Amino acid sequence: MNSPVEIPFKSFIQIERASHIPIYIQIANHLTQAIQSGTLLPGTKLPGARTLSELLDVHRNTITSVYEELYAQGWIDVKPNRGAVVMPRLPKIKGRTTESRGYPATTGFSFTTTPLLDNPFDHAPCDYVFNDGVPDIRLTQIDDLSRLYSANMKRKSNQKKMSYYNQEGSRYFKEQLSQYLRLSRGFKISINNLLITRSIEMSLFIISEIILQQGDYVVVGAPSYFAANMIFQKSSNRVLTVPTDEEGLNTDALEELCSKHIIRLVYVTPQHHYPTTVSLSARRRMALLQLSKKFGFVIVEDDHDYDFHYDKQPLLPLATVDTEGMVIYVSSFGKSLAPGFRTGFVVAPENLMVEMRKYLGIIDRQGDVMIEQALGEMIEEGAIQRHMKRSLKIYKERRDYMSALLEEHLSEWIQFQQPTGGLAFWLSFKKPVNLMRLKKLCEKNNLFIPRTLLYQNKEVTALRVGFGHLDQEEMDKTIGILKQAISEL
């Protein structure tokens, strides 16, 4: 085997003396990697402790510790009066050299890839940003959140809950949330009808895994929520669209589609259709439930913006009047809070809940019981209700101000309906423009518009523009930039 003096130990043993990792461990790790990569072959004799210590400029006892560590791990054998050798019984690694060492650039195996789940989000270093309608983090009740979360962390009765897995989540939070939903949305449910998830998207993913198989037909509105489209396309590979108008999803077109295909699932956002913000009319709500009963398709009701209403009391969710067990309701709680305190949830009959908990137990076994406990206390104390009341007043003022700005500065190019709820406007262009060019022009002037907000085809040229995260000064600035960019097209 190679003589120790012929092996360039210093080329692959790099000691970081400022590191918190002991030097003997660093050296042992480098030698282990050299053995695994084939640089040091089985049976190779290693230098004596004195020789290697002088070569690496470390104490002899350090090398002694290195060899003891490698011997204990089974990488080397140490014989009295013969020194240390790489364990002869190790398999030889072929095709690896010192020059080829390092983490591989690609896998050595094949796997299935899918462009359907490519990240649709882009970023730019701009001071101003449009989004699709998210709350303003500056309005968050930080004092209430920090007080309740800190109290729950310190409470001895909760410490046991942090030491074991609990895929069922906090029973206390479920009790408070079910009561909250009974009072605010008309649900007559128990905690057995609730599943707590991390987000609406996680809820949709679990539903798709259970309900859909490859080849099943799924119907969404045109246009629809891009993340939901991605999930359904991945699960079924057959996503059909029906048009939407000022009354929401066109149920007549849906019925015609049902006469041609066996529809497994229909996805709707009835309170404020994403992205156009229109509400599904009472007539079409009744028609949708009747069609579900007639053709046997599942309705997934995404109620992402229920808490944000300004002008009138919203219609109750479809799920509250579903007597056939055909509606799965997904929504979120705490959307007006800091992102880490928001949570998704699903409401459905108990037999589906049993299956959904199995899937949740695989992808989110631990959950976040402390957050749920704090959210439950916010409901019980009335803090969340008080916060929403104050926030809604501010968001309504912002909606009205944004509406006035759009009318004053952009009415020459766009048309819109002031939304009755939610945190976004749907801006439809009177004449087609190049939205990607518009996006670039805005970016040059310090306003970033994500491509997920751009909707353009032969029939539609539109933007979904959130207003909730902008104060009046920021609205003045962003609408000014948008106006300048449109005028340059």
Side-chain angles (χ1 to χ4, degrees):
M1 303 307 296
N2 289 343
S3 167
V5 297
E6 297 174 349
I7 299 173
F9 288 95
K10 294 187 71 173
S11 68
F12 57 81
I13 298 178
Q14 305 295 326
I15 300 173
E16 297 182 19
R17 299 186 183 275
S19 173
H20 68 281
I21 301 174
I23 290 177
Y24 85 96
I25 293 294
Q26 294 185 47
I27 298 173
N29 288 342
H30 287 305
L31 288 172
T32 299
Q33 291 168 4
I35 294 170
Q36 291 179 299
S37 68
T39 301
L40 294 177
L41 299 175
T44 300
K45 187 175 183 345
L46 299 176
R50 183 186 302 277
T51 302
L52 189 56
S53 66
E54 292 175 352
L55 183 65
L56 300 179
D57 193 23
V58 297
H59 197 279
R60 179 181 178 182
N61 290 344
T62 300
I63 302 302
T64 301
S65 297
V66 169
Y67 287 167
E68 290 175 352
E69 181 70 22
L70 293 176
Y71 178 75
Q73 294 181 19
W75 293 112
I76 67 172
D77 192 14
V78 180
K79 299 290 186 181
N81 302 320
R82 292 178 57 188
V85 297
V86 177
M87 191 66 74
R89 294 190 297 274
L90 293 174
K92 292 185 178 181
I93 308 295
K94 297 182 179 180
R96 300 287 295 273
T97 65
T98 301
E99 290 73 24
S100 67
R101 283 189 307 108
Y103 197 78
T106 59
T107 60
F109 53 86
S110 61
F111 56 92
T112 302
T113 62
T114 173
L116 295 174
L117 301 182
D118 287 349
N119 187 353
F121 299 101
D122 52 343
H123 304 277
C126 297
D127 292 330
Y128 301 99
V129 178
F130 280 152
N131 58 46
D132 66 347
V134 301
D136 192 339
I137 189 65
R138 295 169 295 189
L139 302 180
T140 296
Q141 296 293 91
I142 296 297
D143 290 342
D144 281 338
L145 290 173
S146 59
R147 173 179 58 82
L148 292 171
Y149 189 75
S150 177
N152 274 281
M153 288 290 290
K154 295 175 182 177
R155 196 168 295 150
K156 289 185 177 180
S157 61
N158 285 338
Q159 290 177 1
K160 291 183 179 180
K161 298 174 183 177
M162 294 186 285
S163 63
Y164 63 88
Y165 293 120
N166 185 4
Q167 68 193 59
E168 295 294 323
S170 165
R171 181 183 180 89
Y172 167 71
F173 175 54
K174 285 185 177 181
E175 291 172 346
Q176 295 301 319
L177 181 58
S178 61
Q179 175 68 9
Y180 179 83
L181 294 176
R182 281 195 290 270
L183 296 175
S184 65
R185 306 186 193 186
F187 276 106
K188 300 175 182 179
I189 58 172
S190 73
I191 63 172
N192 295 327
N193 301 115
L194 273 175
L195 184 80
I196 307 302
T197 65
R198 299 284 183 174
S199 65
I200 286 177
E201 291 76 16
M202 179 184 283
S203 301
L204 294 175
F205 178 80
I206 295 174
I207 291 168
S208 296
E209 286 293 302
I210 297 172
I211 302 297
L212 299 177
Q213 297 180 1
Q214 284 291 310
D216 285 343
Y217 283 101
V218 177
V219 175
V220 301
S224 182
Y225 181 37
F226 62 89
N229 293 351
M230 293 164 66
I231 293 170
F232 296 139
Q233 186 69 37
K234 178 67 174 63
S235 297
S236 74
N237 200 36
R238 289 186 175 181
V239 177
L240 306 175
T241 61
V242 294
T244 57
D245 54 29
E246 66 277 358
E247 288 189 73
L249 191 77
N250 189 319
T251 50
D252 292 334
L254 174 60
E255 184 172 14
E256 184 178 346
L257 205 56
C258 288
S259 66
K260 298 177 181 178
H261 304 284
I262 298 175
I263 305 301
R264 176 59 172 162
L265 184 151
V266 174
Y267 169 76
V268 290
T269 50
Q271 291 297 346
H272 308 115
H273 178 74
Y274 189 104
T276 64
T277 75
V278 300
S279 296
L280 188 64
S281 67
R283 178 180 66 86
R284 288 189 177 175
R285 286 168 182 259
M286 294 176 61
L288 181 60
L289 290 171
Q290 290 169 357
L291 290 174
S292 173
K293 182 178 180 179
K294 179 179 179 180
F295 293 102
F297 58 74
V298 179
I299 299 173
V300 174
E301 180 180 12
D302 182 346
D303 207 355
H304 60 101
D305 266 343
Y306 186 90
D307 288 327
F308 299 95
H309 289 86
Y310 311 116
D311 300 327
K312 59 182 179 179
Q313 184 66 23
L315 292 172
L316 292 177
L318 290 168
T320 62
V321 293
D322 169 36
T323 59
E324 305 295 327
M326 299 302 290
V327 180
I328 304 173
Y329 181 85
V330 300
S331 189
S332 62
F333 179 79
K335 187 174 179 180
S336 63
L337 304 176
F341 283 81
R342 300 169 194 166
T343 186
F345 65 88
V346 182
V347 176
E350 287 188 31
N351 63 325
L352 182 62
M353 282 289 116
V354 171
E355 196 66 19
M356 293 188 74
R357 290 189 186 101
K358 297 176 185 177
Y359 283 78
L360 183 66
I362 294 297
I363 63 176
D364 189 23
R365 187 181 177 193
Q366 181 63 61
D368 197 332
V369 177
M370 293 299 100
I371 289 290
E372 293 176 17
Q373 288 286 118
L375 289 174
E377 290 191 22
M378 289 193 75
I379 297 174
E380 188 173 29
E381 290 184 2
I384 189 71
Q385 294 88 333
R386 293 191 297 272
H387 171 60
M388 281 303 305
K389 187 175 181 180
R390 288 191 293 267
S391 297
L392 280 176
K393 182 179 179 181
I394 296 173
Y395 289 132
K396 184 178 186 299
E397 292 172 352
R398 292 183 178 183
R399 180 205 61 170
D400 295 344
Y401 190 77
M402 173 72 92
S403 183
L405 284 177
L406 293 171
E407 187 65 39
E408 179 182 357
H409 296 287
L410 299 181
S411 58
E412 178 183 347
W413 300 283
I414 61 124
Q415 54 191 10
F416 68 95
Q417 293 291 327
Q418 180 170 271
T420 60
L423 298 171
F425 280 83
W426 177 249
L427 310 181
S428 178
F429 283 80
K430 295 177 179 179
K431 294 182 180 179
V433 298
N434 187 325
L435 291 184
M436 287 303 297
R437 176 164 165 73
L438 176 66
K439 167 184 167 69
K440 291 178 180 178
L441 288 172
C442 289
E443 224 167 282
K444 284 176 59 177
N445 290 303
N446 209 21
L447 171 62
F448 174 58
I449 305 178
R451 62 173 178 263
T452 54
L453 306 187
L454 311 179
Y455 293 83
Q456 189 156 35
N457 54 40
K458 291 181 180 179
E459 292 79 29
V460 176
T461 299
L463 294 174
R464 180 179 168 93
V465 175
F467 62 85
H469 68 299
L470 302 171
D471 60 27
Q472 291 189 0
E473 181 179 347
E474 291 163 340
M475 288 184 198
D476 289 334
K477 185 66 176 179
T478 54
I479 296 303
I481 296 173
L482 183 60
K483 178 181 180 180
Q484 179 182 342
I486 293 175
S487 64
E488 293 178 15
L489 290 173

